[in-house]
Amino acid sequence: VPLVESGGGSVETGGSLNLSCTTAYKYSYSQYCMGWFRQVPGKEREGVAYIRSDGGVKYADSVKGRFTISRDNAKNTLDLQMTSLKPEDTAMYYCAAALFLRTVCDVGSALDGFGYWGQGTQVTVSP
């Protein structure tokens, strides 16, 4: 497992959580797009936030204004600050790094462009 997520948990509606992602090996993804994705049982995995190597970010409409993605290339870490959480944010959250430098770093980018994944961290938001 090249990436490791942490920070998931259970909160009430309106609460906040901070997710973190680190590299499991001494490998730098600093030149690559990275993102946070989520998946609920029976549904496809969806991207919620993306960040380019230069720090440019993109968000899914469903989380825009509530989630903030950031990265520290020196530390090889990727974070996701989640505020104003809603029950519909309940999912397993995964961080991922692009497989190619040319991978489109935007909402809707094909999942097969991301080749390095963590095992996920569960986020549960109760009504």
Side-chain angles (χ1 to χ4, degrees), residues 45-78:
R45 190 170 298 186
E46 63 171 353
V48 296
Y50 301 77
I51 186 166
R52 299 195 308 259
S53 59
D54 64 1
V57 299
K58 294 288 186 180
Y59 297 99
D61 287 343
S62 58
V63 306
K64 201 172 293 183
R66 300 187 298 120
F67 290 11
T68 301
I69 187 172
S70 61
R71 67 192 296 170
D72 187 326
N73 288 334
K75 297 180 179 179
N76 282 331
T77 58
L78 179 73

Side-chain angles (χ1 to χ4, degrees), residues 1-4 22-29 75-76 116-117:
V1 178
L3 299 170
V4 179
T22 59
T23 56
Y25 311 117
K26 290 184 179 180
Y27 183 82
S28 174
Y29 298 99
K75 297 180 179 179
N76 282 331
Y116 307 99
W117 294 86

Side-chain angles (χ1 to χ4, degrees), residues 13 15 18 25 30 40 42 59-60 64 69 83 93-95 103 106 115 117:
T13 297
N18 294 324
Y25 311 117
S30 63
V40 297
Y59 297 99
K64 201 172 293 183
I69 187 172
T83 63
Y93 282 73
Y94 301 87
C95 66
T103 295
D106 202 349
W117 294 86

Side-chain angles (χ1 to χ4, degrees), residues 82-116:
M82 305 186 295
T83 63
S84 302
L85 283 163
K86 306 174 181 180
E88 51 263 43
D89 294 318
T90 295
M92 186 71 78
Y93 282 73
Y94 301 87
C95 66
L99 192 57
F100 309 108
L101 290 175
R102 66 177 182 272
T103 295
V104 175
C105 202
D106 202 349
V107 177
S109 180
L111 292 180
D112 59 9
F114 292 84
Y116 307 99

